[in-house]
Amino acid sequence: MVGVDEVLEKLGTVIDPDLKKDIVSMGMIKDLELVEDKLKFTLELTTPACPFNVEIEDDVRRVIGEITGLKGFELNVTAKVMEGRSLDADTGMATVKNIIGVASGKGGVGKSTVSLNLALALSQTGAKVGLLDADIYGPSIPLMLGMKDGHMQVEDNKLQPAESNGLKVVSFGFFAEQSHQAAIYRGPIISGILKQFLVDTNWSDLDYLIVDLPPGTGDIPLTLAQTIPITGILIVTTPQDVASNVAVKALGMFEKLNVPIIGVVENMSHFICTKCNEKHYVFGDGGAKKISEDFKIPFLGEIPLNPRIMSASDMGKPMMITTPDSPSADAFRVSAKNIAAQCSILAARLQEEAASEQAQESTAEQLKEPTGKSA
């Protein structure tokens, strides 16, 4: 006769490779039923974009198959994205589980292209994703999504995001493109616009909000870091020393502000020759990996140099939509999964810190001397 304890003990040997914890203690086993030696339960993964989802599921099936006397089992696999930031401290955006700022030290590294295609890659896994174009001076996301004539409505004093390819999208470009006027604003006004886009927008329930930041270390990145709790920052660079050296400055700013660094992605990393199928490092090699090693942050992926990425963006037809089977799309998917994994790691760390604080508060209460007694 098989017992529930035996089943849980077996499942407890399955370790999440990212979180380094067993799936039972992580609460990933749900609705477990054992009736007449027939097992039924749900495996709830931490994100639909986890790079190890298939491996974890295979391990679960393997250990269950090792249980002697079990007459069969039914496994349902779902995913629920973990909260990678303190929602209690953010009443304005309490339905957004993860906010990822995408930053770069300088312009021209393809940060907006990376932001857009990563958002699409995450969305294609089944996650609910929003994209905020926070480059007020040079908004490009509407053009890249073919939404030059797009607009946002206001309902109940809240901006309603536009929608495209499964993404909820907010951009100053929806206003600027219609007026054909340049945004000529000083820092405080720019910061106010960003705050409105963040907290006065009906983002609804999102697993991930990707915030495409302008290059550098100016008002917008600073406002994002200081206005709301965010999951972390993704740094985008290219292989050249000049790009990686400036990227380090952006990284340093966020570290000073105690904002977690999710990792670094290298764009235009290499060119894949269509004739010989070999990689050619046109702009040098290893810029992002050096940043990863020097600052001990995750290296999350490398996006190949491909003229079609640029032309697809100019036509408003992102590569993740038009050529999903291309090497470039595969590279974006790999990076997106690695980013989702890092968000889960940060979320688990946040849970541990909250549990530790709660335990310390409980201990402090127990150590207090009784009151109300007269001397």
Side-chain angles (χ1 to χ4, degrees):
M1 188 76 175
V2 181
V4 171
D5 290 343
E6 182 183 357
V7 172
L8 291 176
E9 183 178 353
K10 270 290 187 182
L11 289 172
T13 63
V14 178
I15 306 298
D16 184 304
D18 281 321
L19 304 181
K20 306 293 190 267
K21 292 184 178 181
D22 71 89
I23 61 174
V24 175
S25 64
M26 283 294 299
M28 295 165 67
I29 303 301
K30 308 286 186 181
D31 306 323
L32 191 146
E33 297 179 7
L34 184 60
V35 179
E36 296 180 352
D37 293 334
K38 292 182 180 180
L39 180 64
K40 180 180 179 181
F41 66 97
T42 294
L43 170 64
E44 186 179 81
L45 300 162
T46 59
T47 170
C50 176
F52 294 107
N53 281 354
V54 174
E55 180 180 326
I56 294 172
E57 181 181 346
D58 288 346
D59 285 346
V60 166
R61 294 185 181 277
R62 175 181 54 78
V63 299
I64 292 299
E66 293 173 354
I67 300 177
T68 303
L70 197 62
K71 296 179 180 178
F73 73 94
E74 180 181 338
L75 173 62
N76 180 38
V77 182
T78 63
K80 181 181 179 182
V81 175
M82 300 174 70
E83 298 166 0
R85 62 194 201 94
S86 177
L87 300 186
D88 294 338
D90 185 11
T91 56
M93 301 184 70
T95 60
V96 180
K97 293 180 178 178
N98 292 279
I99 298 178
I100 302 167
V102 182
S104 66
K106 63 185 293 293
V109 300
K111 175 182 48 55
S112 294
T113 300
V114 171
S115 296
L116 171 58
N117 284 284
L118 287 177
L120 289 169
L122 286 169
S123 177
Q124 288 173 2
T125 68
K128 291 175 286 187
V129 183
L131 177 60
L132 170 54
D133 183 359
D135 192 343
I136 308 301
Y137 292 119
S140 56
I141 294 299
L143 172 64
M144 296 166 71
L145 277 170
M147 302 175 70
K148 286 188 66 175
D149 298 324
H151 60 278
M152 296 181 294
Q153 302 289 343
V154 178
E155 297 179 10
D156 299 325
N157 295 320
K158 286 277 190 179
L159 284 169
Q160 306 299 314
E163 296 195 19
S164 175
N165 297 293
L167 302 179
K168 292 185 180 295
V169 185
V170 168
S171 172
F172 191 71
F174 293 134
F175 305 101
E177 292 293 338
Q178 292 170 11
S179 65
H180 301 286
Q181 304 232 347
I184 307 174
Y185 301 121
R186 292 189 182 274
I189 296 178
I190 291 292
S191 296
I193 293 173
L194 177 61
K195 289 178 182 178
Q196 185 176 8
F197 283 169
L198 288 167
V199 301
D200 292 336
T201 297
N202 180 23
W203 288 111
S204 186
D205 295 326
L206 290 182
D207 295 317
Y208 305 98
L209 174 61
I210 306 297
V211 183
D212 179 25
L213 296 168
T217 56
D219 293 297
I220 294 293
L222 188 61
T223 298
L224 175 67
Q226 295 181 330
T227 300
I228 55 171
I230 66 176
T231 306
I233 293 293
L234 172 68
I235 301 294
V236 177
T237 188
T238 52
Q240 305 102 308
D241 287 342
V242 65
S244 56
N245 288 342
V246 180
V248 165
K249 295 181 179 180
L251 191 155
M253 182 193 79
F254 289 108
E255 285 189 332
K256 286 182 179 179
L257 295 170
N258 294 318
V259 176
I261 305 298
I262 293 173
V264 58
V265 168
E266 185 172 88
N267 192 31
M268 297 182 251
S269 174
H270 55 269
F271 173 74
I272 302 176
C273 178
T274 55
K275 293 183 178 180
C276 66
N277 205 34
E278 291 185 0
K279 291 182 179 180
H280 299 273
Y281 294 89
V282 182
F283 300 126
D285 184 15
K289 288 182 179 178
K290 187 175 187 304
I291 292 176
S292 170
E293 293 169 359
D294 290 348
F295 290 86
K296 295 180 173 54
I297 61 174
F299 175 71
L300 301 174
E302 51 186 21
I303 312 301
L305 178 66
N306 186 341
R308 292 183 181 179
I309 296 178
M310 179 190 68
S311 59
S313 297
D314 287 346
M315 292 187 296
K317 298 177 179 179
M319 178 160 275
M320 290 302 302
I321 303 298
T322 57
T323 55
D325 297 327
S326 65
S328 296
D330 289 340
F332 280 120
R333 270 190 289 272
V334 169
S335 296
K337 288 182 177 182
N338 288 335
I339 290 164
Q342 290 303 313
C343 286
S344 294
I345 291 171
L346 291 170
R349 190 178 303 163
L350 198 64
Q351 289 181 358
E352 289 177 358
E353 290 173 355
S356 177
E357 289 178 5
Q358 187 174 6
Q360 290 176 6
E361 290 174 0
S362 177
T363 301
E365 287 293 327
Q366 294 175 6
L367 292 176
K368 283 183 178 178
E369 293 184 7
T371 59
K373 292 183 180 181
S374 58

